Structure formats: C-alpha cells, structure tokens
Amino acid sequence: MESMKFQKKISRIAPSSKPWTMVVDTHAVAATLLPIVLAVLTTGVLCALARLFKDGIRLPPLAGIVLVALTTWPILKRLESGSGLVLFDLHVLSFSAAAMHLLNEGITSIQRRRVSKGATPVQMAQFHAAFQVATAGLFLCGLAAIYFNKEAMGKPHGESVHAKVGFAAVILMMLNVTFGSLRSLRAFPKLQFLWQDQNHRIFGKLAYLIASSAAALGVVSGWGMKNLGESLAYGVAASVLTIAGYNAFMVKL
C-alpha cells in the first residue's frame, strides 16, 4: 500500500514521454502563484493610493486602470459564474496589471518628481522604484504562469510574436530594475533614490515600449479576440500603444 502511494507521488513529478517536459500539476502551480500575484498586486495598489494621495489623479495611470479592467473582465465574469482560476488567467492578470497600469504609475512618478506639489522629488523617486519592482515581480509571475500552462498542455514555447516580444520585455525589465537597484545601493547602507543615468533612462523607455507592445499583441491574440471581441480588443491595444508613445516621446523624464 505504501509502495503504491509512493509511486503515485513520483508520477506527479516524473518526466513525461516527451523529452524536456515535465508532468505539471496546474492546480498546485496556480495555488503557489496566486498568493504571490495577489501580494504584489496589493503592494502596487497601496503604492498607487499613496502616490494618488501625494500627487493627485493623472491621466496615464487612470487610463491604465480602465484598460486593465476591460482586459480582465472576462476572467472576473467567469469566476463570478463559479468557474475556477486557471494558469492562463494568472498570466493575463499579471501582465495586464504590470504593463498597462503599474508601468504607467512608475513612469508618471519619475516624470513628475520636480513638479509634484504634494510629494518631494525623493518620494516620487521612491514611488517610481516601488512600481518598477512590483512590475518586475508580476512579469516573473506571468512568465511562470504561461510557461507551466504550456508545459501542461504540451504546447511549444515562444513561437508567437507576442511570446518573443513579451520575453524580451521581461529580460529588459529585469536588467533595468537590477541596474537601478544597484545604483541606489551605491552608498549602502544609505539608499540613494535620486540619481541620473542616461543608459538607465534609455533602456527603461525601451523596456516600457516593448512591454506595452507585448500587452497590445496579447490583447489582439486569439484569446483577446475570443473574450473581448474584435472592436474592444483593437481599441484596448491602440490605447495601450498611444499611452506608451505619449509617455515615452512626448513627456520629458
């Protein structure tokens, strides 16, 4: 009896018949990722409320909230009907919240560091750092969700343009956040949040534009067309790219 239990346990983690793939317990992965996603989202919401209290309502972050709501409402509607949360839902939720809202909060914070009437430049730089770290965290959760989802379904990785652009966005975001963190720790144990670096600015804009492009491509993918409808999917994608272009090219950092 004990031997049978042991064999069943091993079969849950043993390699499948396909090379380089693993049998994935999607419920276990979702149960592991969900608290992390919720924790990072909660942190982002609290930071957004703090930034709102200090700096007031700004259009790009506000528009980002609307776009996230429009993108994720099919998931919320399905949950309301009693259906369970699946890994792909966590992918959509993580990347849309990060690329459409938290990135805009971070960009807006650093853009307004000199003109905010309710917050000091250092506070606005701290908001920027917090939003970027939260974005990176959600990117990793979204990447893990789609990776294990494809493993469970036996589908190949990274074949679509959306996948390639999204992966590039994750890599650039992680590199830029790592550089920014190391730069702020240069005077350790004192944290230095106000500093200027042209390379960080350039690669930050590049990561932002690529992440926004990945989000737009995801919205007009098969999932987006099926769940949002063609008109709404193209409208959300166009809005995401318009906001990204405005933040990257029309407003001085």
Side-chain angles (χ1 to χ4, degrees):
M1 189 68 178
E2 291 296 325
S3 177
M4 289 179 63
K5 288 182 179 179
F6 181 74
Q7 288 176 357
K8 287 182 179 180
K9 187 175 181 181
I10 291 297
S11 69
R12 293 167 68 88
I13 60 173
S16 69
S17 58
K18 294 182 179 181
W20 308 109
T21 61
M22 299 291 288
V23 175
V24 178
D25 187 338
T26 56
H27 294 291
V29 176
T32 302
L33 285 176
L34 182 58
I36 301 173
V37 172
L38 292 178
V40 179
L41 277 175
T42 301
T43 302
V45 169
L46 292 175
C47 287
L49 291 174
R51 204 275 312 155
L52 181 67
F53 177 76
K54 288 284 188 179
D55 192 48
I57 296 174
R58 302 299 160 198
L59 183 58
L62 180 61
I65 293 174
V66 174
L67 293 175
V68 172
L70 291 173
T71 303
T72 58
W73 78 264
I75 297 173
L76 301 177
K77 186 177 180 181
R78 199 178 67 253
L79 289 175
E80 194 176 37
S81 67
S83 299
L85 194 72
V86 298
L87 276 176
F88 194 84
D89 295 338
L90 289 177
H91 171 72
V92 175
L93 180 62
S94 297
F95 269 95
S96 60
M100 296 180 188
H101 177 61
L102 293 184
L103 270 178
N104 283 318
E105 286 279 12
I107 295 293
T108 298
S109 298
I110 204 64
Q111 283 174 346
R112 293 186 50 77
R113 67 190 181 279
R114 296 190 184 95
V115 298
S116 175
K117 296 180 180 179
T120 65
V122 171
Q123 288 175 328
M124 295 300 281
Q126 289 171 337
F127 284 138
H128 170 74
F131 286 125
Q132 302 309 93
V133 171
T135 296
L138 285 181
F139 274 3
L140 290 178
C141 288
L143 181 63
I146 196 62
Y147 175 83
F148 286 112
N149 185 66
K150 283 185 175 291
E151 282 291 302
M153 299 179 69
K155 291 186 176 181
H157 298 282
E159 289 196 331
S160 67
V161 176
H162 166 64
K164 292 180 174 65
V165 175
F167 188 69
V170 173
I171 296 299
L172 279 173
M173 192 69 195
M174 295 306 300
L175 289 175
N176 217 40
V177 167
T178 300
F179 175 83
S181 300
L182 293 175
R183 182 64 177 80
S184 295
L185 290 168
R186 181 177 289 185
F188 187 81
K190 182 181 179 181
L191 293 177
Q192 183 183 358
F193 287 98
L194 277 179
W195 45 269
Q196 291 187 356
D197 185 278
Q198 188 65 20
N199 291 327
H200 179 68
R201 185 177 300 177
I202 292 172
F203 282 100
K205 281 188 176 183
L206 185 60
Y208 174 56
L209 289 170
I210 292 177
S212 298
S213 299
L217 287 169
V219 170
V220 297
S221 67
W223 180 91
M225 292 297 187
K226 179 181 177 181
N227 289 274
L228 302 179
E230 186 173 333
S231 297
L232 182 57
Y234 279 119
V236 170
S239 299
V240 169
L241 294 176
T242 299
I243 294 170
Y246 171 79
N247 270 332
F249 302 115
M250 301 301 292
V251 180
K252 184 178 180 181
L253 292 177

